[in-house]
C-alpha cells in the first residue's frame, strides 16, 4: 500500500534531521524519501533544504516568495534573453551550480572535473524528483542547475544520467525564465550534442521549450 501524504510528512519529520548521516551509506532511503515527497507534493522545500545541508551546499539566500516587482523584473529578463539569446549577467548566475553539482554527485563513481560534473544514479534521480515539484518550493535547485557553465551543461547533456536531469529541468513549469541559460547552452551546442545518443531526449526537450527563432538552430 502506497504511503499517504500524512505518512510521508511523518517520515520527513523523523528523517530530515538525519539526512547528513544517512546519505553516505543509505542513499537509497534518502532517494525514496525524496521521491515520495515529490509524488505527494509534501514538504519539497524542507526536503531540498535538508538535502542541501547534507551535501554541504552553501545556505540559500533566496527569499521563499517573490514580490510582484521581482517577478516582473524576471519576466523582463526572460523577454530580453529570448530576443537576444544571451547568458544572464554574472550577478544573476545564482550559486554557479554548486547545489545542483553536489546533489547530482551523490553516489557518483568518479570525482568529476571543472568541465564535466560527476553524476551518480542516486543523485540524478533525486534531482529529477525534486524538479518535478512546484518552483515555489524547489526553484533554488533549478536556478542552481541553470547557473552552471555552458561547458558543464553540455557535458551533462552527453551523460546518460545527467541528460535525464536536464530533460526534466527543461520540462519544468518555468514561468520565470530560469531555464533560459540551459536552453541557450543546448541550442548553441546542438551540433555537438547531435552526435551523442544520450543527448537525444535533451535535444527533443529543448526543441519543445525553445522559442521559434531558436528551433531553427536546433534543426541546422
Amino acid at each position: 500500500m502506497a504511503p499517504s501524504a500524512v505518512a510521508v510528512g511523518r517520515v520527513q519529520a523523523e528523517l530530515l534531521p538525519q539526512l547528513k548521516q544517512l546519505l553516505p551509506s543509505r542513499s537509497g532511503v534518502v532517494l525514496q524519501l525524496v521521491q515520495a515527497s515529490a509524488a505527494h507534493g509534501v514538504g519539497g522545500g524542507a526536503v531540498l533544504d535538508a538535502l542541501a545541508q547534507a551535501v554541504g551546499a552553501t545556505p540559500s539566500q533566496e527569499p521563499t516568495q517573490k514580490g510582484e516587482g521581482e517577478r516582473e523584473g524576471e519576466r523582463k529578463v526572460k523577454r530580453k534573453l529570448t530576443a537576444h539569446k544571451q547568458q544572464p549577467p554574472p550577478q544573476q548566475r545564482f550559486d554557479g551550480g554548486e547545489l545542483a553539482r553536489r546533489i547530482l554527485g551523490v553516489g557518483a563513481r568518479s570525482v568529476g572535473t571543472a568541465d564535466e560534473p560527476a553524476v551518480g544514479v542516486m543523485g540524478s534521480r533525486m534531482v529529477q524528483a525534486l524538479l518535478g515539484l512546484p518552483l515555489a518550493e524547489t526553484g533554488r535547485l533549478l536556478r542552481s542547475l541553470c547557473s552552471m557553465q555552458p561547458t558543464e551543461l553540455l557535458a551533462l547533456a552527453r551523460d546518460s544520467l545527467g541528460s535525464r536531469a536536464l530533460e526534466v529541468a527543461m520540462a519544468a513549469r518555468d514561468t520565470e525564465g530560469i531555464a533560459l541559460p540551459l536552453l541557450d547552452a543546448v541550442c548553441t551546442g546542438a551540433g555537438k550534442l547531435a552526435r551523442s545518443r544520450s543527448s537525444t531526449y535533451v535535444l527533443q526537450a529543448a526543441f519543445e521549450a525553445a522559442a521559434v527563432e531558436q528551433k531553427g538552430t536546433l534543426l541546422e
Side-chain angles (χ1 to χ4, degrees):
M1 183 176 178
S4 65
V6 174
V8 172
R10 289 173 180 168
V11 174
Q12 286 178 352
E14 181 179 347
L15 295 185
L16 290 185
Q18 305 177 47
L19 234 55
K20 188 172 184 178
Q21 290 73 37
L22 288 171
L23 201 57
S25 59
R26 303 292 299 278
S27 58
V29 173
V30 178
L31 174 61
Q32 289 182 343
L33 175 61
V34 172
Q35 291 176 329
S37 301
H40 289 279
V42 178
V47 171
L48 179 58
D49 287 344
L51 186 56
Q53 185 176 7
V55 297
T58 304
S60 174
Q61 300 298 318
E62 184 179 44
T64 303
Q65 294 183 336
K66 297 178 182 293
E68 180 56 34
E70 290 177 276
R71 288 195 293 269
E72 177 58 27
E74 288 182 333
R75 285 193 287 267
K76 289 180 180 178
V77 170
K78 178 180 180 180
R79 290 193 291 269
K80 182 177 179 180
L81 290 175
T82 301
H84 299 288
K85 302 180 184 179
Q86 295 177 347
Q87 291 289 334
Q91 65 270 23
Q92 294 184 14
R93 294 196 68 83
F94 200 57
D95 68 350
E98 180 194 12
L99 174 61
R101 198 179 294 112
R102 287 178 181 268
I103 296 179
L104 283 169
V106 173
R109 296 181 179 180
S110 61
V111 177
T113 66
D115 291 329
E116 296 189 10
V119 185
V121 174
M122 295 298 179
S124 176
R125 290 180 177 175
M126 287 179 191
V127 169
Q128 291 175 58
L130 288 166
L131 290 178
L133 286 160
L135 289 183
E137 295 186 65
T138 58
R140 174 189 174 193
L141 177 57
L142 182 60
R143 291 178 189 279
S144 178
L145 180 65
C146 296
S147 67
M148 284 183 170
Q149 293 297 323
T151 51
E152 292 182 280
L153 293 172
L154 292 180
L156 288 175
R158 291 190 293 266
D159 183 87
S160 60
L161 297 173
S163 61
R164 294 299 185 184
L166 296 191
E167 183 184 348
V168 174
M170 283 188 285
R173 295 180 180 179
D174 174 21
T175 59
E176 301 176 6
I178 299 172
L180 282 171
L182 167 59
L183 182 59
D184 186 66
V186 172
C187 290
T188 302
K192 297 178 180 178
L193 296 180
R195 297 191 289 270
S196 169
R197 179 178 298 180
S198 296
S199 302
T200 301
Y201 293 108
V202 173
L203 290 171
Q204 181 178 340
F207 185 82
E208 293 174 357
V212 175
E213 59 270 23
Q214 288 179 307
K215 292 183 187 294
T217 303
L218 290 167
L219 293 173
E220 290 177 356

